[in-house]
């Protein structure tokens, strides 16, 4: 084998690596369409977190407006086409973060519920712990809510104060 044969062989290998199968291109295209579909179905408040190019924003707005199934399908294909030419790394990261945030949010929610339950059952020690963690907290309000919630629990009434405690803890944590 000569040097030119080796060179031609490596050139062919490089060309084969550069070529992507038609099936792979379709999978990539469908993935972009699915991502575009998530953006279309997303609430406006969440969509505002994305820094999208104007043409993509317009296409998403148009897709939201369409009611015809076939028209919406074509619009989603168009959104996928626009996304092929745009930098979608930011969109992917934000979607991933939103998925992660929902899990993180649930965990945070559970921690606040546990803290509320401890506050109702244990009282002052937990209030002191909260005052250390959140110096801006109103000690008197926490004590009043804790007493009300304990009384409601004892009398088997609706947990109104318990809900107020949770809302207050949530406000403090944000």
């Amino acid at each position: 084998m000569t040097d030119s044969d080796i060179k031609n062989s490596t050139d062919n290998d490089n060309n084969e690596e550069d070529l992507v199968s038609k099936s792979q291109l379709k999978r990539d295209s469908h993935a972009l369409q699915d991502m575009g579909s998530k953006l279309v179905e997303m609430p406006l408040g969440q969509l505002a977190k994305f820094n999208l190019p104007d043409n993509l924003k317009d296409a998403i707005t148009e897709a939201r407006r369409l009611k015809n199934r076939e028209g919406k399908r074509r619009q989603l294909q168009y959104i996928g086409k626009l996304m092929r030419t745009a930098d979608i790394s930011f969109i992917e990261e934000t979607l991933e973060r939103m998925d992660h945030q929902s899990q993180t949010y649930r965990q945070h929610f559970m921690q606040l519920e546990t803290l509320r339950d401890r506050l109702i059952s244990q009282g002052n020690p937990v209030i002191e712990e909260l005052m250390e963690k959140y110096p801006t907290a109103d000690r008197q309000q926490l004590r009043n809510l804790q007493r009300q919630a304990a009384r409601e629990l004892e009398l088997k009434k609706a947990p109104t104060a318990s809900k107020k405690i949770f809302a207050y803890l949530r406000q403090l944590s944000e």
Side-chain angles (χ1 to χ4, degrees):
M1 210 180 205
T2 65
D3 287 337
S4 64
D5 290 338
I6 293 172
K7 186 175 189 270
N8 287 339
S9 173
T10 57
D11 286 346
N12 287 339
D13 290 343
N14 289 340
N15 288 341
E16 288 174 12
E17 289 174 8
D18 291 342
L19 295 176
V20 180
S21 71
K22 188 175 180 182
S23 298
Q24 183 60 43
L25 290 174
K26 280 188 176 184
R27 282 190 294 271
D28 293 345
S29 176
H30 286 292
L32 290 174
Q33 283 180 35
D34 291 342
M35 192 182 306
S37 179
K38 286 180 185 177
L39 293 173
V40 169
E41 301 300 323
M42 187 175 289
L44 287 175
Q46 286 183 342
L47 189 62
K49 295 178 182 180
F50 292 88
N51 185 18
L52 300 173
D54 289 335
N55 60 352
L56 190 54
K57 280 182 191 175
D58 294 341
I60 290 171
T61 303
E62 180 67 20
R64 286 173 175 269
R65 189 185 64 76
L66 293 172
K67 301 293 181 216
N68 183 325
R69 196 179 116 216
E70 182 62 21
K72 197 167 198 166
R73 183 191 66 81
R74 285 193 311 267
Q75 188 67 17
L76 287 174
Q77 284 181 329
Y78 176 65
I79 290 171
K81 180 180 177 184
L82 290 175
M83 290 177 75
R84 273 184 254 149
T85 59
D87 179 26
I88 60 162
S89 59
F90 176 75
I91 297 170
E92 289 173 329
E93 289 173 14
T94 307
L95 282 173
E96 187 175 318
R97 216 174 324 119
M98 284 180 169
D99 286 343
H100 179 66
Q101 279 180 340
S102 63
Q103 181 179 0
T104 305
Y105 178 76
R106 283 192 304 272
Q107 289 172 345
H108 179 66
F109 193 84
M110 288 174 60
Q111 288 172 347
L112 289 177
E113 285 179 334
T114 304
L115 185 58
R116 177 200 58 202
D117 294 342
R118 283 184 49 225
L119 176 65
I120 293 170
S121 64
Q122 296 174 11
N124 281 335
V126 180
I127 291 174
E128 295 303 321
E129 180 183 318
L130 280 169
M131 293 307 296
E132 288 177 20
K133 190 172 183 178
Y134 304 109
T136 60
D138 184 1
R139 183 186 312 262
Q140 190 63 39
Q141 183 178 5
L142 284 169
R143 281 193 180 128
N144 286 337
L145 288 172
Q146 186 271 332
R147 285 188 202 121
Q148 286 175 358
R151 200 172 315 118
E152 288 172 354
L153 190 64
E154 192 177 299
L155 299 174
K156 297 182 180 168
K157 289 187 172 183
T160 308
S162 178
K163 291 177 183 177
K164 288 180 182 177
I165 290 173
F166 183 81
Y168 188 67
L169 291 174
R170 189 170 170 192
Q171 179 186 356
L172 286 174
S173 70
E174 292 175 350

